Amino acid sequence: MILRRRCGASDCLAWFFISGIALVFFLICSILYGTRTENPSLPQAVQEVLPAGRCLCQQSTTFNCESCLDCAARPAIVANATHALETWEFDFRRDGSNYGLDEDQCAAAFPGLFEDIERAKNFRKGRGLVTQKNLTDFELTKGMVRAMIHDGQLYILQTCLVDNINRQKAVASLAALHRAISAARDRPAIANIEFVLSVEDLPAQPEKPLWMLARRAQDEDLWLIPDFGWWSWDMPALGAFDEVADEAMQRERLEPWDAKKEKLVWRGKLNFAPKLRRALVEAAKGKSWSDVGQVKWEDTEFKEPGAHFLGPVDQCSYMFIAHAEGRSYSGALKYRQLCRSVIVSHKLQWIQHYHYLLLASGAKQNYVEVERDFSDLSSTMDDLLAHPEKAKRIADNNVKTFRERYLTGAAEACYWRALVQAWKEISFEPSLYETVADGQNKARQQKRGVRYETFILYDYESQVTFPQVAQ
Ligand SMILES: *[C@@H]1O[C@H](CO)[C@@H](O)[C@H](O)[C@H]1NC(C)=O
Ligand SMILES: *[C@@H]1O[C@H](CO)[C@@H](O)[C@H](O)[C@H]1NC(C)=O
């Protein structure tokens, strides 16, 4: 009754209405501010409402593939006498950029590299083969390319690319696939297949059997392809992946382990994954071991002390390199793994094709894993700094496992070919020709798509929406 006297029903309603709108307005503004700003410290209220977004911070995928690495350390025994090589061992210096290792050599050199292909194949086998209709009964969305391999040649059937970055990623991925099949020891044995690949970070249609750059544990029907960066990426201080690797080795000659800074470095954009990346910045704030700072690409004269731009190889000057996922996986991980440094990563949610080889414990430990909120970052760093011999061992294992084995061009090409062969086992045989109506009820045979060699000669417009349907 008292309430009633103080504010009438309509007043009350209006008050609720206005404060409701104000609250919603405040929330929206806070979230917009929190996810977009590059301000290094946020008010507590804004931090509270910051959405985790795509980063479901409770989830991660940890692999234990120690057995893979164990057999990787032994020479391959090729049992079949028909094989010229009784025993053959992968040698980084000799074979690292050999895109044409044969199937036995690939299997011997890179155990554990084909785990996700096997997983995807087994998942599909339980659900029936992929039909042509499965690949044609949906519209291609941003970043997708429908393509075919026939008689060892790569054909582009359809593209849906929306901007130049999209186009570059797609062309780089196709180029890498083309390189892998061109280099095959037995090119006629390459399977005839049709597939749809996407170069978007996030799977737009995760329930479809698509080829993607990364997946979460629940995206079981996605097939992983190597990141386009193995071919090359058009950014300052990058380039072809093996070029960056060579740079890292060159740097290491001048700056061996003992000459590195005993600090943890990280550079990145906060607004790609605000909650996750801000947690890293917060956890490192004010620590003597920290050189963690955000990068503002648009701000060339970056004014915050100590947070100037660092290229991927510049990060090799530090003993410890932090890694954080972005909108989905972060392509930066593979560059960080080129350094003889200790990679300190939160538990990863996004799986890339070679992630099964990441090992967070044991004698072959090749990186250091912390929680997704970085709550144990400080104690982890204290432990690493107190045990330099352990840190050195992890950094050496990082180089041995990744730079000198699983991140080589040889491994990338082996992976692409294994993907093609496995996809063939669970999908249809495409035909090179299709029947098209030719005016007066006549049908004729027409070759499908365009060869990769021709496609790369096309101009921008023709590449981003191929084929262009006549208006
Ligand atoms: C030897 O060759 C046969 C047939 O070519 C094949 O089935 C078998 O798996 C091979 N063995 C090994 C160990 O590679
Ligand atoms: C593929 O197509 C078959 C029928 O042709 C259908 O039963 C199946 O659900 C489809 N699979 C996917 C992943 O779309």
Side-chain angles (χ1 to χ4, degrees), residues 124 127-131 133-135 137 207-209 221:
R124 237 322 90 207
R127 279 164 183 74
L129 300 188
V130 172
T131 63
K133 194 163 167 299
N134 287 155
L135 297 186
D137 69 358
E207 71 295 345
K208 294 247 153 55
D221 218 0

Side-chain angles (χ1 to χ4, degrees), residues 186-204:
D186 187 7
R187 195 162 177 181
I190 299 276
N192 293 345
I193 57 162
E194 189 170 321
F195 57 92
V196 176
L197 69 79
S198 167
V199 293
E200 280 296 294
D201 293 349
L202 293 166

Side-chain angles (χ1 to χ4, degrees), residues 63 85 97 114 125 129 132 152 218 249 285 307 315 317 349 354 383 426 453-455 459 462:
F63 299 108
L85 305 161
S97 49
F114 314 104
K125 275 190 169 160
L129 300 188
Q132 184 144 33
Q218 69 265 30
M249 284 184 274
K285 194 182 261 175
Q315 299 185 33
S317 302
Q349 184 190 359
Y354 71 96
D383 176 61
I426 55 84
E453 289 86 339
T454 314
F455 179 80
D459 62 13
S462 311

Side-chain angles (χ1 to χ4, degrees), residues 189-316:
I190 299 276
N192 293 345
I193 57 162
E194 189 170 321
F195 57 92
V196 176
L197 69 79
S198 167
V199 293
E200 280 296 294
D201 293 349
L202 293 166
Q205 308 191 46
E207 71 295 345
K208 294 247 153 55
L210 302 176
W211 292 15
M212 293 282 313
L213 297 164
R215 66 177 189 90
R216 293 156 302 186
Q218 69 265 30
D219 306 328
E220 293 182 278
D221 218 0
L222 297 182
W223 293 61
L224 296 178
I225 58 173
D227 177 285
F228 45 85
W230 262 278
W231 176 261
S232 180
W233 194 235
D234 179 19
M235 277 241 290
L238 292 183
F241 190 72
D242 58 341
E243 219 181 341
V244 186
D246 285 343
E247 281 293 306
M249 284 184 274
Q250 177 66 21
R251 180 71 65 98
E252 198 172 294
R253 270 172 227 126
L254 308 171
E255 216 171 57
W257 174 261
D258 292 333
K260 293 182 196 248
K261 294 181 202 137
E262 278 184 81
K263 283 192 171 190
L264 177 76
V265 69
W266 184 80
R267 292 291 186 278
K269 282 190 73 145
L270 289 183
N271 47 14
F272 276 1
K275 191 142 195 156
L276 191 69
R277 292 185 167 187
R278 277 184 188 281
L280 166 62
V281 172
E282 278 300 311
K285 194 182 261 175
K287 298 286 197 271
S288 56
W289 44 257
S290 167
D291 194 341
V292 169
Q294 60 171 321
V295 171
K296 300 177 185 179
W297 301 112
E298 58 274 17
D299 185 2
T300 45
E301 283 188 63
F302 194 65
K303 291 176 196 72
E304 242 174 85
H308 54 283
F309 174 79
L310 287 177
V313 175
D314 297 328
Q315 299 185 33
C316 298

